[in-house]
Amino acid sequence: MKKYIIYFACLLAISWSCNSKPKTDDHAGHNHTSESQEGHNHAEGEECDHDHEQEADHKHAEGEECDHDHGKEEQSHGDEILFTPEQAKQAGLEVYAVKPDKFHQVIKTSGQILSAQGDEVTVSATSSGIVSFNKASLNEGAAVKGGESLVSISSKNLVDGDPSIKAKTAYDIAQREYQRAESLIGDKLISQKEYNEIKLNYENAKVSYQAIGQRSTARGISISSPINGFVKSKLVTEGQYVDVGQPLMIVTQNRKLQLRADVSERYYKDLGSITSANFKTSYDNTVYRLSDLNGRIVSYGRSTNSQEYYLPANFEFDNVGQVVSGSYVEVYLLAQPRENVMAIPVSSLTEEQGIYFVYLQIHPDAYKKQEVRIGTNDGSLVEILSGLKAGDKVVSKGAYHIKLASASAAIPHAHEH
């Protein structure tokens, strides 16, 4: 029995030794093979990676135009817009350097251009009758001279008769009565009271005849312009019957004009601080500054009525010949100035869905789109609350061309080779 146990133990030892050695060898061999393979793969991988890097370098060298350099350009110049100085000159681009400056408080409203008082007169009829014009081209805007005959009024064929003839007849009779009374008063043949009445009648008839007779022509009573100027409005037509005192036309010198601004009641406390105004017309879209037109504030209202809920602010200024009297305008009332305000020309702004942008000049041939937040504007300048700093160069004229360039795929890249 003991012999079998020893024999069995030897078999187990041999079996364990055999099984242990191949496993160790296989494991080692496996590891060796794996390591060798890994080393081989690593070596091959390094070569592959190296080749890949070389290939990448090769592509980098060959693809500077599109791959690597273009990526760098997009990173550094992706927001720049190419617009060469030649293109800028053709488009009429102008650049405005941003700097802090004075800017007035602004009240925007509407108003009307009116003729200044004393600068226009109404020509009225001095007798009743039928109107006839003495100038064939007597229309609105026609130039007239002081003392020039404009209209004749005739009553020859009317029931009441010609007033000039009636005035001359009355004057002749009154003159003879007065001459007779003068010869009688010396001899005390008439009383002083009777003499005074005859003399008064004569003086009245003389004044009436001189007023009509001196202006009487073959066509009737002549009506002249009292001033040099232009016909602002013609109130009657050829052949129309008029009464004494009826307006015939308005003549204006057009040297002075008035601006009447209608101000809301909520700005009543600010009316006293208004110093000047700018206005913009609808027919030429030009912003006029009263400071450039020798303008001044004349008065402002202190109460309203039941028909109007606005307070008038009245200005007077020199007419430069381009402003139409009677036209309606946009008005920018200027109050006290504020210091250190960033303001740029209104023409610099572009709008997209309620958001305002400007274009900054980064280089002579490159521009950048910049969002800004705006405040009030005086018609020509707009206050910038955020988005710009002193020294920025803003496109003040021709910004639309830059906007088109930024949206066009045909514009080449700034640094493409």
Side-chain angles (χ1 to χ4, degrees), residues 121-132 150-155 163 211-212 215 221-224 226 235-236 240-250:
V121 295
T122 301
V123 180
S124 302
T126 57
S127 66
S128 301
I130 304 299
V131 172
S132 62
L150 304 179
V151 177
S152 293
I153 300 176
S154 176
S155 303
I212 296 178
R215 291 180 285 109
I221 305 300
S222 176
I223 309 296
S224 304
L235 307 177
V236 294
Q240 181 178 339
Y241 177 83
V242 295
D243 291 319
V244 176
Q246 182 174 337
L248 303 176
M249 63 184 62
I250 298 175

Side-chain angles (χ1 to χ4, degrees), residues 34 37 60 83 96 122 145 155 229 281 332 337 343 361:
S34 176
Q37 188 171 354
H60 168 70
F83 209 78
Y96 179 85
T122 301
K145 296 179 180 180
S155 303
T281 64
Y332 304 87
Q361 186 185 53

